[in-house]
């Protein structure tokens, strides 16, 4: 599995793992893969705390950070909106729809004093700048940008500090734009992936992107949770795998029990690409929440970052009361996750997942090369 990307990043296996959870990131990097911490919802203080912890934990192994850098969002022309400005844009009708939904599912309000002040997702340059300062104050090996091409200030700073820039793309057009902007690695992410996705499947997207951006190396993402799928990714021309969903079903992941239960039971038909979570299409578990927002009678999800802002408090309530007697909050809770959820049928340690991926990859290569 020694590929160009493995060499660039200095890892044994070119298996990159996206997670919001620092324990998963550290466990992957310690096992020979490469952990990438998703920082879109972190405050600068939390990010500093998590990166300090990861750094101490991994003992010199490399790790990275991922941020959302969308080109299109409400307030982009003004350079981003603060919490108050965002709050003022939330329509009364949407608030009423949300209140009605929570009432229908008997989701209790939070006790006074437990409200977390919602802050808009860190998607504007003003929101991202402090996170970048923190990220670059740690010895990160890679910084990833999702939803838009890496801006010149990011490329310049990263290259000045010998940090590799990766950019996620859902189409060859986006991939070409990211490569022209100066990204060192393109992550070709198919529609079956968890989180924000385009409409093209991994099997079709990866070779198209490999050809479009050559000689820039490509990682395949979307639908990869096993050694056979990694072998397929390399066969398509990728230099490794970028994974996300599989790390929601590991012991180190900070995932609520109600979500773990749903993940273990879900089949590949139980996800949907919906705007109900963030305002941009993201693949997630199909739940009463997605059905309500995408169904008749819904005012429709708001554009990014308004939908997240509108629903932050509701999400906290739904998760808090997912197992409360008399509440049907459990039916509403979900998570971004890809179609490969079908393979997540037990909770294993991160170490076991990586070693089994590598073992199955080797078995696959032997089978294909006539060994058996
Ligand atoms: C829970 C979850 C949250 C995600 N959030 C982000 C994110 O904030 N930034 C990002 O670049 N990708 C995000 N993704 C996408 C992953 O980076 C990755 O591309 C995707 O999970 C790969 O497909 P897979 O889910 O089939 O493994 C997320 C994925 C999941 C499952």
């Amino acid at each position: 599995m020694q590929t160009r990307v493995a060499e660039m990043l200095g890892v044994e296996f070119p298996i990159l793992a996206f997670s919001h959870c620092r324990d998963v990131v550290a466990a992957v990097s310690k096992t020979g893969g490469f952990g990438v911490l998703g920082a879109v919802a972190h405050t600068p203080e939390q990010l500093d705390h998590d990166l300090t912890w990861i750094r101490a934990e991994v003992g010199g192994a490399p790790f990275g950070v991922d941020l959302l850098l969308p080109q299109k969002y409400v307030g982009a022309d003004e350079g981003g909106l603060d919490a108050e400005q965002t709050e003022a844009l939330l329509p009364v009708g949407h608030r009423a729809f949300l209140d009605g939904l929570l009432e229908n599912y008997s989701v209790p309000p939070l006790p006074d004093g437990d409200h977390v002040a919602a802050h808009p997702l860190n998607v504007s340059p003003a929101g991202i700048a402090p996170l970048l300062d923190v990220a670059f104050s740690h010895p990160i090996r890679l910084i990833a940008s999702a939803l838009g091409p890496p801006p010149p200030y990011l490329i310049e700073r990263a290259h000045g500090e010998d940090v590799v820039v990766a950019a996620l793309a859902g189409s060859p057009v986006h991939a070409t734009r990211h490569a022209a902007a100066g990204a060192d690695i393109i992550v070709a992410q198919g529609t079956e992936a968890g989180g924000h996705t385009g409409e093209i499947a991994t099997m079709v997207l990866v070779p198209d992107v490999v050809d479009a951006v050559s000689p820039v190396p490509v990682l395949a993402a979307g639908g990869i949770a096993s050694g056979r799928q990694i072998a397929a990714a390399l066969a398509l021309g990728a230099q490794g795998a970028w994974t996300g969903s599989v790390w929601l079903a590991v012991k180190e992941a900070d995932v609520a029990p109600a979500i773990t239960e749903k993940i273990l039971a879900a089949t590949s038909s139980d996800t949907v690409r919906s705007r109900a979570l963030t305002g941009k299409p993201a693949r997630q578990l199909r739940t009463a929440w997605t059905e309500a927002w995408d169904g008749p009678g819904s005012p429709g999800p708001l554009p990014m970052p308004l939908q997240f802002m509108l629903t932050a408090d509701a999400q906290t309530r739904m998760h808090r009361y997912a197992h409360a007697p008399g509440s049907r909050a459990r039916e509403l809770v979900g998570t971004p996750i890809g179609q490969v959820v079908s393979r997540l049928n037990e909770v294993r340690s991160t170490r076991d997942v990586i070693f089994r991926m590598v073992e199955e990859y080797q078995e696959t290569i032997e089978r294909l090369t006539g060994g058996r």
Side-chain angles (χ1 to χ4, degrees):
M1 250 195 233
Q2 269 303 311
T3 64
R4 255 169 73 210
V5 167
E7 267 168 43
M8 276 167 89
L9 300 178
V11 289
E12 202 176 346
F13 314 121
I15 301 173
L16 285 84
F18 171 93
S19 175
H20 294 114
C21 176
R22 67 180 192 183
D23 302 71
V24 175
V25 171
V28 169
S29 286
K30 278 200 300 195
T31 313
F34 189 95
V36 182
L37 184 69
V40 66
H42 278 65
T43 62
E45 294 72 30
Q46 283 166 342
L47 183 61
D48 191 41
H49 194 251
D50 281 3
L51 292 178
T52 304
W53 184 87
I54 290 171
R55 187 177 166 179
E57 191 70 11
V58 298
F63 57 92
V65 167
D66 173 283
L67 290 167
L68 294 190
L69 296 160
Q71 279 188 307
K72 291 184 205 145
Y73 58 93
V74 177
D77 292 342
E78 296 86 6
L81 304 176
D82 63 23
E84 211 173 303
Q85 291 167 318
T86 314
E87 190 85 34
L89 291 176
L90 305 179
V92 175
H94 281 75
R95 291 181 193 267
F97 175 77
L98 179 58
D99 289 344
L101 182 59
L102 295 175
E103 201 175 312
N104 282 346
Y105 284 83
S106 309
V107 184
L110 294 175
D112 279 348
D114 270 11
H115 289 274
V116 187
H119 65 92
L121 282 175
N122 301 313
V123 293
S124 68
I128 287 164
L131 292 173
L132 284 179
D133 286 342
V134 170
F136 283 111
S137 73
H138 290 272
I140 55 168
R141 184 73 195 102
L142 172 144
I143 188 129
S145 96
L147 294 183
Y153 66 82
L154 176 61
I155 298 273
E156 217 169 280
R157 188 162 180 184
H159 288 170
E161 307 209 19
D162 197 25
V163 171
V164 171
V165 179
L168 277 77
S171 74
V173 173
H174 290 162
T176 311
R177 205 179 295 155
H178 297 350
D184 306 297
I185 295 174
I186 304 297
V187 180
Q189 191 214 39
T191 188
E192 55 269 67
H196 296 111
T197 57
E199 290 176 312
I200 307 170
T202 305
M203 186 81 157
V204 173
L205 181 69
V206 174
D208 280 355
V209 169
V210 167
D211 292 348
V213 302
S214 172
V216 178
V218 173
L219 292 170
I224 302 174
S226 71
R228 272 178 287 170
Q229 287 159 332
I230 294 174
L234 298 199
L236 294 174
Q239 303 283 327
W242 175 282
T243 54
S245 296
V246 63
W247 311 111
L248 293 172
V250 290
K251 289 194 178 116
E252 293 83 352
D254 180 17
V255 175
I259 302 292
T260 302
E261 277 169 29
K262 288 191 178 190
I263 290 175
L264 300 184
T267 70
S268 50
S269 306
D270 295 326
T271 73
V272 62
R273 190 171 164 267
S274 165
R275 293 175 49 232
L277 210 52
T278 68
K280 284 192 187 281
R283 187 169 299 284
Q284 55 201 286
L285 284 177
R286 182 184 287 108
T287 61
W289 175 268
T290 61
E291 299 280 270
W293 278 104
D294 296 334
S298 162
L302 293 168
M304 182 178 269
L306 304 186
Q307 181 72 3
F308 179 82
M309 192 72 178
L310 172 74
T311 60
D313 190 68
Q315 289 286 351
T316 309
R317 285 168 61 182
M318 283 149 45
H319 279 92
R320 168 88 58 97
Y321 298 110
H323 291 287
S327 171
R328 291 167 59 209
R330 194 185 166 281
E331 295 171 45
L332 293 167
V333 293
T335 175
I337 200 157
Q339 292 176 346
V340 79
V341 66
S342 60
R343 303 200 73 81
L344 310 181
N345 302 318
E346 58 175 332
V347 175
R348 294 181 289 160
S349 72
T350 295
R351 199 182 159 77
D352 280 359
V353 172
I354 298 240
F355 284 163
R356 183 60 200 139
M357 279 175 171
V358 173
E359 202 175 52
E360 190 182 282
Y361 168 83
Q362 284 162 345
E363 289 162 8
T364 306
I365 299 303
E366 277 172 30
R367 178 162 54 81
L368 293 175
T369 52
R372 66 195 144 95

PDB file of all heavy atoms in Angstrom, residues 12-30:
ATOM      1  N   GLU A  12       2.342   4.602   7.024  1.00  0.00           N
ATOM      2  CA  GLU A  12       2.490   3.220   6.564  1.00  0.00           C
ATOM      3  C   GLU A  12       1.369   2.870   5.568  1.00  0.00           C
ATOM      4  O   GLU A  12       1.608   2.228   4.551  1.00  0.00           O
ATOM      5  CB  GLU A  12       2.405   2.318   7.805  1.00  0.00           C
ATOM      6  CG  GLU A  12       3.039   0.975   7.625  1.00  0.00           C
ATOM      7  CD  GLU A  12       2.984   0.183   8.933  1.00  0.00           C
ATOM      8  OE1 GLU A  12       2.708   0.767  10.006  1.00  0.00           O
ATOM      9  OE2 GLU A  12       3.206  -1.037   8.850  1.00  0.00           O
ATOM     10  N   PHE A  13       0.148   3.308   5.902  1.00  0.00           N
ATOM     11  CA  PHE A  13      -1.006   2.989   5.046  1.00  0.00           C
ATOM     12  C   PHE A  13      -1.671   4.289   4.572  1.00  0.00           C
ATOM     13  O   PHE A  13      -1.972   5.148   5.408  1.00  0.00           O
ATOM     14  CB  PHE A  13      -2.055   2.187   5.823  1.00  0.00           C
ATOM     15  CG  PHE A  13      -1.481   1.062   6.643  1.00  0.00           C
ATOM     16  CD1 PHE A  13      -1.677   1.030   8.021  1.00  0.00           C
ATOM     17  CD2 PHE A  13      -0.742   0.048   6.046  1.00  0.00           C
ATOM     18  CE1 PHE A  13      -1.148   0.002   8.785  1.00  0.00           C
ATOM     19  CE2 PHE A  13      -0.211  -0.985   6.814  1.00  0.00           C
ATOM     20  CZ  PHE A  13      -0.412  -1.004   8.187  1.00  0.00           C
ATOM     21  N   PRO A  14      -1.954   4.421   3.271  1.00  0.00           N
ATOM     22  CA  PRO A  14      -2.634   5.644   2.804  1.00  0.00           C
ATOM     23  C   PRO A  14      -4.138   5.575   3.074  1.00  0.00           C
ATOM     24  O   PRO A  14      -4.969   5.679   2.176  1.00  0.00           O
ATOM     25  CB  PRO A  14      -2.320   5.668   1.304  1.00  0.00           C
ATOM     26  CG  PRO A  14      -2.169   4.227   0.942  1.00  0.00           C
ATOM     27  CD  PRO A  14      -1.635   3.510   2.148  1.00  0.00           C
ATOM     28  N   ILE A  15      -4.454   5.357   4.359  1.00  0.00           N
ATOM     29  CA  ILE A  15      -5.858   5.307   4.782  1.00  0.00           C
ATOM     30  C   ILE A  15      -6.087   6.550   5.625  1.00  0.00           C
ATOM     31  O   ILE A  15      -5.571   6.660   6.747  1.00  0.00           O
ATOM     32  CB  ILE A  15      -6.155   4.036   5.620  1.00  0.00           C
ATOM     33  CG1 ILE A  15      -5.834   2.775   4.821  1.00  0.00           C
ATOM     34  CG2 ILE A  15      -7.594   4.043   6.115  1.00  0.00           C
ATOM     35  CD1 ILE A  15      -5.929   1.476   5.620  1.00  0.00           C
ATOM     36  N   LEU A  16      -6.822   7.514   5.071  1.00  0.00           N
ATOM     37  CA  LEU A  16      -7.080   8.757   5.793  1.00  0.00           C
ATOM     38  C   LEU A  16      -8.452   8.666   6.439  1.00  0.00           C
ATOM     39  O   LEU A  16      -9.394   8.137   5.831  1.00  0.00           O
ATOM     40  CB  LEU A  16      -6.984   9.960   4.850  1.00  0.00           C
ATOM     41  CG  LEU A  16      -5.525  10.299   4.497  1.00  0.00           C
ATOM     42  CD1 LEU A  16      -5.033   9.445   3.346  1.00  0.00           C
ATOM     43  CD2 LEU A  16      -5.344  11.776   4.179  1.00  0.00           C
ATOM     44  N   ALA A  17      -8.526   9.140   7.668  1.00  0.00           N
ATOM     45  CA  ALA A  17      -9.769   8.998   8.433  1.00  0.00           C
ATOM     46  C   ALA A  17     -10.248  10.362   8.885  1.00  0.00           C
ATOM     47  O   ALA A  17      -9.588  11.018   9.686  1.00  0.00           O
ATOM     48  CB  ALA A  17      -9.536   8.109   9.643  1.00  0.00           C
ATOM     49  N   PHE A  18     -11.406  10.775   8.360  1.00  0.00           N
ATOM     50  CA  PHE A  18     -12.004  12.026   8.807  1.00  0.00           C
ATOM     51  C   PHE A  18     -12.848  11.733  10.045  1.00  0.00           C
ATOM     52  O   PHE A  18     -13.666  10.817  10.048  1.00  0.00           O
ATOM     53  CB  PHE A  18     -12.913  12.606   7.711  1.00  0.00           C
ATOM     54  CG  PHE A  18     -13.709  13.772   8.215  1.00  0.00           C
ATOM     55  CD1 PHE A  18     -13.229  15.062   8.053  1.00  0.00           C
ATOM     56  CD2 PHE A  18     -14.903  13.584   8.914  1.00  0.00           C
ATOM     57  CE1 PHE A  18     -13.935  16.139   8.562  1.00  0.00           C
ATOM     58  CE2 PHE A  18     -15.606  14.657   9.428  1.00  0.00           C
ATOM     59  CZ  PHE A  18     -15.119  15.939   9.252  1.00  0.00           C
ATOM     60  N   SER A  19     -12.663  12.536  11.096  1.00  0.00           N
ATOM     61  CA  SER A  19     -13.530  12.401  12.276  1.00  0.00           C
ATOM     62  C   SER A  19     -13.559  13.714  13.034  1.00  0.00           C
ATOM     63  O   SER A  19     -12.579  14.453  13.056  1.00  0.00           O
ATOM     64  CB  SER A  19     -13.014  11.287  13.190  1.00  0.00           C
ATOM     65  OG  SER A  19     -13.780  11.239  14.379  1.00  0.00           O
ATOM     66  N   HIS A  20     -14.713  13.980  13.695  1.00  0.00           N
ATOM     67  CA  HIS A  20     -14.780  15.156  14.568  1.00  0.00           C
ATOM     68  C   HIS A  20     -14.214  14.822  15.931  1.00  0.00           C
ATOM     69  O   HIS A  20     -14.125  15.681  16.797  1.00  0.00           O
ATOM     70  CB  HIS A  20     -16.241  15.598  14.759  1.00  0.00           C
ATOM     71  CG  HIS A  20     -16.885  16.094  13.510  1.00  0.00           C
ATOM     72  ND1 HIS A  20     -17.925  15.446  12.898  1.00  0.00           N
ATOM     73  CD2 HIS A  20     -16.609  17.172  12.755  1.00  0.00           C
ATOM     74  CE1 HIS A  20     -18.268  16.113  11.818  1.00  0.00           C
ATOM     75  NE2 HIS A  20     -17.483  17.147  11.702  1.00  0.00           N
ATOM     76  N   CYS A  21     -13.895  13.558  16.139  1.00  0.00           N
ATOM     77  CA  CYS A  21     -13.545  13.074  17.467  1.00  0.00           C
ATOM     78  C   CYS A  21     -12.029  12.874  17.582  1.00  0.00           C
ATOM     79  O   CYS A  21     -11.443  12.084  16.846  1.00  0.00           O
ATOM     80  CB  CYS A  21     -14.298  11.758  17.666  1.00  0.00           C
ATOM     81  SG  CYS A  21     -13.922  10.965  19.184  1.00  0.00           S
ATOM     82  N   ARG A  22     -11.425  13.580  18.506  1.00  0.00           N
ATOM     83  CA  ARG A  22      -9.963  13.553  18.609  1.00  0.00           C
ATOM     84  C   ARG A  22      -9.431  12.144  18.934  1.00  0.00           C
ATOM     85  O   ARG A  22      -8.347  11.773  18.496  1.00  0.00           O
ATOM     86  CB  ARG A  22      -9.497  14.555  19.656  1.00  0.00           C
ATOM     87  CG  ARG A  22      -9.916  14.178  21.072  1.00  0.00           C
ATOM     88  CD  ARG A  22      -9.455  15.186  22.080  1.00  0.00           C
ATOM     89  NE  ARG A  22      -9.613  14.658  23.429  1.00  0.00           N
ATOM     90  CZ  ARG A  22      -9.352  15.331  24.521  1.00  0.00           C
ATOM     91  NH1 ARG A  22      -8.924  16.560  24.451  1.00  0.00           N
ATOM     92  NH2 ARG A  22      -9.502  14.770  25.710  1.00  0.00           N
ATOM     93  N   ASP A  23     -10.210  11.370  19.699  1.00  0.00           N
ATOM     94  CA  ASP A  23      -9.744  10.021  20.058  1.00  0.00           C
ATOM     95  C   ASP A  23      -9.605   9.141  18.821  1.00  0.00           C
ATOM     96  O   ASP A  23      -8.691   8.329  18.729  1.00  0.00           O
ATOM     97  CB  ASP A  23     -10.720   9.352  21.029  1.00  0.00           C
ATOM     98  CG  ASP A  23     -10.908  10.164  22.293  1.00  0.00           C
ATOM     99  OD1 ASP A  23     -11.544  11.242  22.206  1.00  0.00           O
ATOM    100  OD2 ASP A  23     -10.406   9.757  23.340  1.00  0.00           O
ATOM    101  N   VAL A  24     -10.527   9.294  17.880  1.00  0.00           N
ATOM    102  CA  VAL A  24     -10.465   8.501  16.646  1.00  0.00           C
ATOM    103  C   VAL A  24      -9.264   8.948  15.815  1.00  0.00           C
ATOM    104  O   VAL A  24      -8.489   8.126  15.301  1.00  0.00           O
ATOM    105  CB  VAL A  24     -11.770   8.648  15.820  1.00  0.00           C
ATOM    106  CG1 VAL A  24     -11.647   7.923  14.488  1.00  0.00           C
ATOM    107  CG2 VAL A  24     -12.967   8.160  16.604  1.00  0.00           C
ATOM    108  N   VAL A  25      -9.102  10.254  15.698  1.00  0.00           N
ATOM    109  CA  VAL A  25      -7.994  10.814  14.902  1.00  0.00           C
ATOM    110  C   VAL A  25      -6.659  10.276  15.435  1.00  0.00           C
ATOM    111  O   VAL A  25      -5.814   9.782  14.676  1.00  0.00           O
ATOM    112  CB  VAL A  25      -8.022  12.365  14.966  1.00  0.00           C
ATOM    113  CG1 VAL A  25      -6.771  12.963  14.353  1.00  0.00           C
ATOM    114  CG2 VAL A  25      -9.272  12.886  14.264  1.00  0.00           C
ATOM    115  N   ALA A  26      -6.488  10.334  16.750  1.00  0.00           N
ATOM    116  CA  ALA A  26      -5.231   9.878  17.339  1.00  0.00           C
ATOM    117  C   ALA A  26      -5.058   8.365  17.150  1.00  0.00           C
ATOM    118  O   ALA A  26      -3.970   7.897  16.798  1.00  0.00           O
ATOM    119  CB  ALA A  26      -5.198  10.232  18.829  1.00  0.00           C
ATOM    120  N   ALA A  27      -6.136   7.610  17.347  1.00  0.00           N
ATOM    121  CA  ALA A  27      -6.041   6.147  17.232  1.00  0.00           C
ATOM    122  C   ALA A  27      -5.652   5.743  15.807  1.00  0.00           C
ATOM    123  O   ALA A  27      -4.843   4.833  15.609  1.00  0.00           O
ATOM    124  CB  ALA A  27      -7.361   5.500  17.635  1.00  0.00           C
ATOM    125  N   VAL A  28      -6.202   6.422  14.805  1.00  0.00           N
ATOM    126  CA  VAL A  28      -5.875   6.092  13.408  1.00  0.00           C
ATOM    127  C   VAL A  28      -4.403   6.403  13.145  1.00  0.00           C
ATOM    128  O   VAL A  28      -3.664   5.580  12.585  1.00  0.00           O
ATOM    129  CB  VAL A  28      -6.779   6.875  12.423  1.00  0.00           C
ATOM    130  CG1 VAL A  28      -6.270   6.741  10.997  1.00  0.00           C
ATOM    131  CG2 VAL A  28      -8.217   6.393  12.525  1.00  0.00           C
ATOM    132  N   SER A  29      -3.960   7.594  13.535  1.00  0.00           N
ATOM    133  CA  SER A  29      -2.569   7.982  13.265  1.00  0.00           C
ATOM    134  C   SER A  29      -1.600   7.050  13.993  1.00  0.00           C
ATOM    135  O   SER A  29      -0.550   6.693  13.456  1.00  0.00           O
ATOM    136  CB  SER A  29      -2.337   9.440  13.668  1.00  0.00           C
ATOM    137  OG  SER A  29      -2.953  10.304  12.730  1.00  0.00           O
ATOM    138  N   LYS A  30      -1.968   6.615  15.185  1.00  0.00           N
ATOM    139  CA  LYS A  30      -1.080   5.719  15.947  1.00  0.00           C
ATOM    140  C   LYS A  30      -0.995   4.331  15.330  1.00  0.00           C
ATOM    141  O   LYS A  30      -0.074   3.571  15.590  1.00  0.00           O
ATOM    142  CB  LYS A  30      -1.611   5.575  17.385  1.00  0.00           C
ATOM    143  CG  LYS A  30      -1.206   6.723  18.274  1.00  0.00           C
ATOM    144  CD  LYS A  30      -1.282   6.381  19.753  1.00  0.00           C
ATOM    145  CE  LYS A  30      -2.656   5.997  20.219  1.00  0.00           C
ATOM    146  NZ  LYS A  30      -2.796   5.999  21.684  1.00  0.00           N
TER     147      LYS A  30
END
